Amino acid sequence: MEVNLKVAQLKAVKDEILAVGVLKDEELPFKELTRFLRADEFNGKDDQTAIISSLGRFDFKKLFLYGLGEQKEFDLDKLRRFSGSVVRYARSIRSTSLSIALPQINSINKEHAAQALTEGALLASYKFTKFKTKKDDLFEIKKATIVTEEKGLENAILYASTIASAQNWTREIDEHPANFITPKELAKVAMNLAKERKLKIKVFEKKDIEKLGMGGLLAVAQGSVNPPVFIVLEYNAHKKDLPLYCIVGKGVTFDSGGISLKPSKGLQEMKYDKSGATITLGIIKAVSELKLPIRLMAVIPATENLPSGSAQKPGDIITSYNGKTIEIINTDAEGRLILADALSYATKAKPEAIIDIATLTGLMKLTLGRHGIGLFSNDEELISVFKAAGGRTYERVWQFPLWKEYAEMNKSDIADIKNIGSEVGEAGSITAAFFLKEFIGDARWVHLDIAGTSMFAEPHHYLENGATGIGVRLVTEVLAELSSYGKGRDKK
Ligand code: BES
Ligand code: ZN
Ligand code: ZN
């Protein structure tokens, strides 16, 4: 789907659908069509919809009204929900084209509003259909047009389209199951991206990983016939005067738990254990398309985690890339093992900051559910940039403490550290973060635990169920902010 801008009056719209957002108890537009609506049918309350035929009096066929709720509770995500909901409606009636009116709300910045409408529409238009063979399932909406009398919103729409399309691209890769995306196939995706975006790329294969001494990645991979890869991409690699940032994504293309096998219920969802990696790829794609003035290194350790005669066993002791020894207590805590190697690799480049993104602990689902990303960091400035960007993108973060007492829980009697903090999972997301902290040296660091947000079992306002790509907009926004790309852009 494409999102365009049209500078015109609403009554001049020619389209299948015209969608208009209405605040609670606000006067309804197009009186001649809406005057028969009773207040209990439609009064603009949150997420309410009404659909009215234009009866041939206008050049749009249907008027789609959407409730934006109370003015005082208004936020930009209401606009994503609004455009998302009209896109869903268009799909349900097989309309290939629709128009969306940019709401006139005094408190909102028009560029941010156009951006949010674009994001909601594009994200809602995405559905994973690659393996559907019936034509009916392949229906696609071609065009959404944002209509306003305001001029000059093209750039905001283009900016949002770039990021939301990168997020959809991420979702598409993430949806592919483990028999399609093995570590090697993920490397191919990265190589194609590198070619398309002119990024520098290194793909370390098993023998290289052995030479480097990445004991964590090798230990997790040793149970599978599909060998691991370690992928390093770099945007603006030759521009050494630009500040370097590093993003690290967990790429477990299937997590069975290994010898500490997971229960079979829901196990198919463990194809999404590569979300950190696919989001990382989506971020570098977006950043390179937006031409942000930074250098960006993306580091992806990729492997399967399977049980077999050659798999690692609880009790094993391994040596990670930075020389620390790790006692394996539970082979299902594999993400931190591969991230340990990747994080110490990243520190060698001495970046301004390291951001890791990982479906690290199932406990995230219990604490924040699907509504927030767990944030762990050693740097106050990064924390506040992330919180602000989380509010703007609605990919919200919630900060967890890194009190030193939690670090004690990872101590091993016989190695430097063990790979789980407690058998009962006490503070499991925090001890996992502390494990990672052992491998970042003195770098400024943010760890994002996306285990609760990387996939939705049920559809959401503008995200179908399945892979969400949540994190692409958040981290791209953070990097834009850090690179001061955003200078002059009004931040709300
Ligand atoms: N990939 C899982 C975490 C996960 C669980 C992500 C559910 C998304 C949904 C991770 O590798 C894992 O298995 N973690 C264990 C850690 C435990 C053994 C300390 C967990 O969360 O149970
Ligand atoms: Zn696991
Ligand atoms: Zn995992």
Side-chain angles (χ1 to χ4, degrees):
M1 190 178 86
E2 217 177 80
V3 182
N4 300 309
L5 178 71
K6 189 177 169 73
V7 180
Q9 289 191 330
L10 291 190
K11 59 178 195 257
V13 168
K14 287 186 190 164
D15 211 333
E16 296 285 315
I17 303 166
L18 170 63
V20 182
V22 181
L23 286 168
K24 174 121 192 295
D25 299 326
E26 193 190 355
E27 206 177 310
L28 298 184
F30 296 103
K31 272 271 154 285
E32 53 275 70
L33 303 178
T34 55
R35 71 195 150 114
F36 299 114
L37 271 179
R38 294 193 319 266
D40 55 356
E41 278 178 286
F42 186 88
N43 65 357
K45 74 176 181 204
D46 222 0
D47 207 31
Q48 191 183 37
T49 55
I51 296 144
I52 306 159
S53 162
S54 74
L55 302 169
R57 294 189 195 169
F58 295 93
D59 289 330
F60 52 86
K61 292 188 187 141
K62 290 194 166 72
L63 178 66
F64 178 98
L65 297 177
Y66 182 85
L68 294 171
E70 302 277 358
Q71 161 106 52
K72 60 180 189 304
E73 286 164 15
F74 184 80
D75 64 37
L76 278 178
D77 207 54
K78 297 257 169 90
L79 296 185
R80 293 189 194 95
R81 291 167 190 218
F82 164 37
S83 58
S85 106
V86 60
V87 163
R88 280 163 170 274
Y89 168 66
R91 189 189 296 130
S92 75
I93 62 161
R94 298 290 193 247
S95 263
T96 54
S97 162
L98 58 114
S99 289
I100 307 168
L102 188 90
Q104 305 273 348
I105 299 171
N106 293 336
S107 60
I108 59 164
N109 168 302
K110 293 273 184 304
E111 289 183 359
H112 291 167
Q115 202 172 320
L117 287 180
T118 306
E119 289 169 356
L122 276 169
L123 294 173
S125 74
Y126 174 76
K127 216 176 157 72
F128 184 56
T129 55
K130 184 169 173 183
F131 295 98
K132 291 283 191 187
T133 58
K134 289 199 197 106
K135 195 163 172 272
D136 212 33
D137 290 327
L138 301 177
F139 175 80
E140 251 182 68
I141 300 169
K142 298 277 181 275
K143 200 171 80 177
T145 307
I146 295 176
V147 187
T148 173
E149 290 180 47
E150 198 87 17
K151 291 200 182 79
L153 294 174
E154 288 84 354
N155 281 346
I157 292 174
L158 190 65
Y159 182 85
S161 294
T162 303
I163 302 179
S165 303
Q167 184 167 347
N168 286 346
W169 177 87
T170 294
R171 294 161 80 191
E172 177 76 11
I173 307 162
D174 214 10
E175 282 297 346
H176 281 71
N179 59 333
F180 281 83
I181 298 277
T182 56
K184 201 171 159 194
E185 287 303 315
L186 191 63
K188 279 193 198 156
V189 172
M191 285 190 288
N192 287 336
L193 178 68
K195 202 167 161 201
E196 183 196 311
R197 301 299 322 147
K198 299 193 172 54
L199 309 173
K200 186 174 160 193
I201 184 165
K202 275 190 269 182
V203 176
F204 296 96
E205 295 187 15
K206 190 174 168 207
K207 57 179 189 324
D208 311 311
I209 300 169
E210 281 166 352
K211 254 187 235 145
L212 288 168
M214 295 188 163
L217 181 54
L218 289 168
V220 176
Q222 76 190 38
S224 170
V225 293
N226 289 315
V229 292
F230 187 80
I231 307 164
V232 183
L233 285 154
E234 210 174 329
Y235 158 69
N236 274 346
H238 55 286
K239 297 193 179 162
K240 300 288 182 214
D241 51 327
L242 291 176
L244 173 68
Y245 291 91
C246 193
I247 46 178
V248 178
K250 170 177 170 181
V252 175
T253 56
F254 188 76
D255 181 12
S256 70
I259 294 294
S260 314
L261 193 62
K262 286 181 184 293
S264 48
K265 190 170 181 294
L267 200 48
Q268 70 285 357
E269 290 178 4
M270 282 301 124
K271 71 171 184 178
Y272 298 114
D273 212 24
K274 60 183 180 304
S275 301
T278 58
I279 290 166
T280 296
L281 291 173
I283 295 164
I284 201 165
K285 179 175 162 65
V287 165
S288 76
E289 286 172 359
L290 297 172
K291 301 194 172 62
L292 295 190
I294 55 168
R295 264 192 299 151
L296 183 62
M297 184 194 259
V299 180
I300 297 172
T303 176
E304 294 184 326
N305 184 25
L306 292 178
S308 78
S310 61
Q312 66 166 335
K313 303 161 194 78
D316 286 2
I317 296 175
I318 62 169
T319 304
S320 110
Y321 181 58
N322 76 351
K324 285 194 183 170
T325 56
I326 306 167
E327 181 188 8
I328 308 300
I329 304 295
N330 189 316
T331 64
D332 197 10
E334 84 298 339
R336 64 198 79 180
L337 302 177
I338 68 172
L339 288 171
D341 292 337
L343 289 168
S344 4
Y345 181 91
T347 58
K348 295 209 164 173
K350 302 219 175 313
E352 301 287 318
I354 300 177
I355 300 159
D356 79 70
I357 307 146
T359 47
L360 204 63
T361 62
L363 282 170
M364 272 332 292
K365 280 195 182 185
L366 297 181
T367 47
L368 302 178
R370 52 152 73 184
H371 301 295
I373 297 173
L375 178 141
F376 307 76
S377 176
N378 58 4
D379 188 275
E380 290 303 323
E381 189 195 342
L382 288 174
I383 293 168
S384 64
V385 173
F386 265 91
K387 285 183 178 169
R392 291 199 292 275
T393 56
Y394 222 67
E395 296 189 339
R396 293 170 297 178
V397 295
W398 189 257
Q399 186 195 350
F400 284 78
L402 287 175
W403 296 320
K404 62 183 186 308
E405 286 77 5
Y406 296 112
E408 304 293 313
M409 295 167 72
N410 286 332
K411 287 208 167 127
S412 160
D413 289 338
I414 54 172
D416 294 333
I417 186 173
K418 58 183 180 183
N419 84 327
I420 64 168
S422 102
E423 295 289 349
V424 291
E426 200 174 299
S429 305
I430 304 176
T431 54
F434 255 110
F435 183 97
L436 301 183
K437 197 167 176 288
E438 296 281 340
F439 300 89
I440 53 150
D442 54 12
R444 295 163 76 206
W445 161 74
V446 170
H447 157 54
L448 301 173
D449 194 335
I450 54 163
T453 50
S454 76
M455 75 82 67
F456 286 168
E458 302 292 331
H460 157 279
H461 298 271
Y462 47 86
L463 292 165
E464 269 302 327
N465 53 335
T468 62
I470 286 179
V472 172
R473 284 185 299 118
L474 170 70
V475 178
T476 305
E477 178 81 10
V478 164
L479 293 171
E481 179 74 27
L482 292 173
S483 73
S484 64
Y485 178 90
K487 262 188 197 156
R489 277 203 305 149
D490 179 19
K491 290 173 210 83
K492 195 181 146 216

